[in-house]
Every structure is written in C-alpha cells, then in structure tokens.
C-alpha cells in the first residue's frame, strides 16, 4: 500500500496545482479556498516557506522543492487550459459558472467549520475576524464594480507602467494565497485580468507582444509570494483560530463577488439574480465540494 501511495503522490500533487490554478483564473474564486477545503493548504504554504527560508540543503528543503516542482507543473498546465478553454466557457456560460461557484462556497463554509471545529470552538468572540474578512472581500468586489471594467495595455512599457504592473502582481498573488480572496478579482480591479489572459492566449498562437509585460507581472507575483507566505504561515501556526475565522469571513464575502461575476466580462452583463441563477449548476458545485471532502476523509483513513 505504501508503494502505491508513493506512485500516486506526484499525480496527486500535480492535480492539486491544476485545481488551484483553474480556481485562481476565474474572478470571484480563490485557489486558496480549494486548497483549504482539500486539506493541502498548510502543506502548500509550508513548502514555499521551507524552500525559500530554510537555511542550507536540508531534507525539509529538498522535500519542499520536489513538492513545489510537481505542484508547479500542474498549476501551469491548469492555467493554460483555463486561458484557452475555461475563459471561453466563462464568457458564454457566465451565470451557470457563477452558480457552480456559489455552490462551492456555500458547501465549503460548513465543511471548513467542521474540519476546524476543535480550533475555533470556545473562541466565538473571534467572529469579529470573520466580519473583517467579509468586509475586505466585499470592498474589493465593490471597487471592481466601480472600476469601469477598464483594461491596461501590458504591451506598452514605461517606467510607471512597470512599477504599476509589478505592484499589482505582488498584491494579486497575496490574495490568491488567501482562501476566499480572489486574486483574479483584484487583477480585474487593476485592469490587468483580461490583458493577462489575452496575452497568454496570444503566446500560444505566436503573438509575443505581451511577453515583456507578463514577465514584469510575473516578477511581481514572485516578490509578493515571498513576502506574504511567511506571514500566512505564522498566522496559521500561532493564530490559527483567528485566521480560520478570518478565512470563513472571506468566504462569506466572496458570495457577493461571485454575484458580480457577470459584470467582469469585456461586455458586462447584469449581476446574477434569481432569474439567472442556475439551480442545477449550483447543486453540481455543492456535490463537487462534498465529493472532495469525502475523498479527503477516505484517503486519510487509508493512510491511517
């Protein structure tokens, strides 16, 4: 059984990357949410921290490196799929997709509460962190709504645009690491989401005009990842109860961001309402989360 688990581990790690990248690529949804639900969020954050901040060539650092390599392969593959396929589906079936993610989030909240019940039980006053988390996500979504859905030209570089794109990339990756906070939504606020997705699709068809801008944003993402991951790990290790409450609040706030999903298209549509809500898609979203949770518990028992 141990040998079979070792053979499956690389595939599982890559699938974790795929799941997180696809979620990250859709505005209103956080890859961190998927990682938290599936139970590998701590390992993901811990591996980044171990690889970049562990001193010397240690077993811990080597394990983190190989985990991140496998994870990165899955992430890049998932992102390319999202850029080519999912983005088109997102445009043409926006209300169904928003309904699916509504199901994801509403199912995820009780799942996370049950998984972390021992951590948060008896600390009910810390619900104030949930209020702060929810307010933060709602404010980000609200400012995106008021941004006019503008797009930034990443092919035209100047000193000011380089600084702008670098900082925006750094801030967006911090959000992507946080369950409930959508980095893609922040990129929409900054006017960079559509140019990035268009630039990636252009690269696959031989148009490399956006490559310099993508590199600048990429360096910002790396810088943001290195500065944020340490803080996230400290919060999870030393202030886990407060952090879990904060994450639950961000998930609640993300419901508002998902409702606004149709307004983020190049040709904005009305926010989702009862008439455009898709119950079948919603139920599929709920079942996917419940299936993920069942699978996680099943494999945990197998390991035990």
């Amino acid at each position: 059984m141990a040998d079979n688990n070792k053979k499956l581990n690389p595939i599982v790690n890559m699938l974790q990357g795929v799941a997180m990248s696809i979620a990250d690529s859709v505005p209103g949804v956080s890859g961190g949410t998927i990682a938290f639900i599936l139970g590998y969020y701590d390992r993901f954050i811990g591996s980044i921290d171990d690889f970049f901040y562990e001193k010397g060539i240690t077993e811990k650092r080597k394990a983190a490196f190989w985990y991140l390599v496998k994870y990165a392969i899955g992430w890049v593959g998932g992102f390319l799929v999202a850029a080519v396929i999912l983005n088109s589906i997102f445009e043409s079936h926006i209300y169904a997709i928003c309904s699916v993610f509504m199901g994801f989030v509403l199912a995820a909240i009780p799942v996370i509460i049950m998984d972390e019940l021992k951590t948060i039980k008896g600390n009910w006053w810390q619900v104030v962190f949930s209020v702060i988390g929810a307010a933060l996500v709602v404010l980000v979504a609200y400012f995106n709504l008021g941004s006019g859905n503008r797009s930034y030209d990443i092919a035209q570089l100047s000193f000011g645009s380089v600084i702008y794109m670098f900082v925006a990339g750094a801030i967006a990756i911090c959000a992507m690491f946080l369950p409930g906070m959508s980095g893609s939504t922040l990129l929409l606020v900054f006017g960079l989401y559509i140019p990035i997705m268009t630039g990636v699709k252009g690269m696959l068809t031989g148009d490399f005009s956006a490559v310099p801008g993508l590199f600048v944003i990429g360096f910002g993402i790396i810088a943001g990842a290195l500065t944020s991951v340490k803080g996230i790990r400290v919060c999870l290790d030393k202030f886990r109860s407060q952090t879990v409450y904060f994450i639950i609040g961000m998930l609640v706030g993300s419901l508002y961001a998902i409702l606004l999903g149709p307004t983020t298209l190049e040709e904005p549509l009305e926010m989702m309402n009862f008439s455009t809500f898709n119950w079948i898609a919603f139920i599929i979203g709920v079942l996917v989360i419940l299936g993920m949770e069942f699978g996680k518990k099943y494999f945990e028992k197998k390991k035990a």
Side-chain angles (χ1 to χ4, degrees), residues 169-186:
I171 294 173
I173 194 63
C174 294
M176 286 179 182
F177 283 171
L178 291 170
M181 176 69 80
S182 170
S184 295
T185 297
L186 279 180

Side-chain angles (χ1 to χ4, degrees), residues 33 130 142 150 159 164 166 168 178 189 212 214 226 240 253 289:
T33 300
S130 293
Y142 176 78
R150 67 185 186 280
F159 179 76
Y164 178 82
F166 182 88
L178 291 170
V189 173
L214 291 174
L226 294 179
R240 190 171 185 90
I289 294 300

Side-chain angles (χ1 to χ4, degrees), residues 50-109:
D50 289 341
F51 178 69
F52 286 103
Y53 293 103
E54 182 79 8
K55 294 180 180 179
I57 307 299
T58 64
E59 288 299 318
K60 185 185 287 188
R61 195 172 199 179
K62 286 191 285 187
F65 171 76
W66 287 115
Y67 172 78
L68 291 173
V69 166
K70 291 174 282 188
Y71 189 91
I73 292 171
W75 196 97
V76 171
F79 185 80
L80 292 176
V81 169
V84 175
I85 300 174
L86 191 63
N87 200 40
S88 301
I89 299 173
F90 185 72
E91 292 277 341
S92 57
H93 298 87
I94 181 65
Y95 292 112
I97 288 178
C98 287
S99 299
V100 168
F101 286 119
M102 188 72 73
F104 280 177
V105 173
L106 283 174
I109 292 171

Side-chain angles (χ1 to χ4, degrees), residues 183-211:
S184 295
T185 297
L186 279 180
L187 289 175
L188 276 165
V189 173
F190 292 128
L192 292 173
Y193 175 76
I194 293 172
I196 288 172
M197 299 301 281
T198 302
V200 172
K201 283 196 287 186
M203 285 174 55
L204 298 176
T205 57
D207 179 4
F208 300 102
S209 61
V211 169

Side-chain angles (χ1 to χ4, degrees), residues 107-267:
I109 292 171
V111 165
I112 291 174
I113 290 173
M114 293 306 297
D115 285 349
E116 296 287 337
L117 190 59
K118 290 182 180 178
T119 301
I120 64 177
K121 191 175 181 180
N123 297 314
W124 310 121
W125 66 271
Q126 292 175 356
V127 72
V128 65
F129 291 99
S130 293
V131 175
I132 294 171
L136 181 62
V137 178
V138 169
L139 283 173
V140 169
Y142 176 78
F143 281 117
N144 174 52
L145 182 64
S147 66
N149 208 35
R150 67 185 186 280
S151 288
Y152 203 83
D153 188 358
I154 64 175
Q156 301 295 321
L157 296 186
S158 64
F159 179 76
S161 67
V162 166
I163 297 298
Y164 178 82
M165 288 189 287
F166 182 88
V167 172
I171 294 173
I173 194 63
C174 294
M176 286 179 182
F177 283 171
L178 291 170
M181 176 69 80
S182 170
S184 295
T185 297
L186 279 180
L187 289 175
L188 276 165
V189 173
F190 292 128
L192 292 173
Y193 175 76
I194 293 172
I196 288 172
M197 299 301 281
T198 302
V200 172
K201 283 196 287 186
M203 285 174 55
L204 298 176
T205 57
D207 179 4
F208 300 102
S209 61
V211 169
L214 291 174
F215 267 108
V216 171
I217 296 167
F219 284 125
I221 287 172
I222 293 171
L226 294 179
T227 53
S228 65
V229 72
K230 175 63 76 173
I232 293 173
R233 191 173 194 183
V234 168
C235 288
L236 287 170
D237 290 345
K238 297 186 176 180
F239 308 100
R240 190 171 185 90
S241 178
Q242 296 94 324
T243 304
V244 170
Y245 272 109
F246 185 71
I247 288 170
I248 292 170
M250 287 194 294
L251 285 173
V252 173
S254 72
L255 295 172
Y256 176 67
I258 293 169
L259 287 174
L260 293 178
T263 69
T264 66
L265 298 176
E266 286 189 78
E267 296 182 8

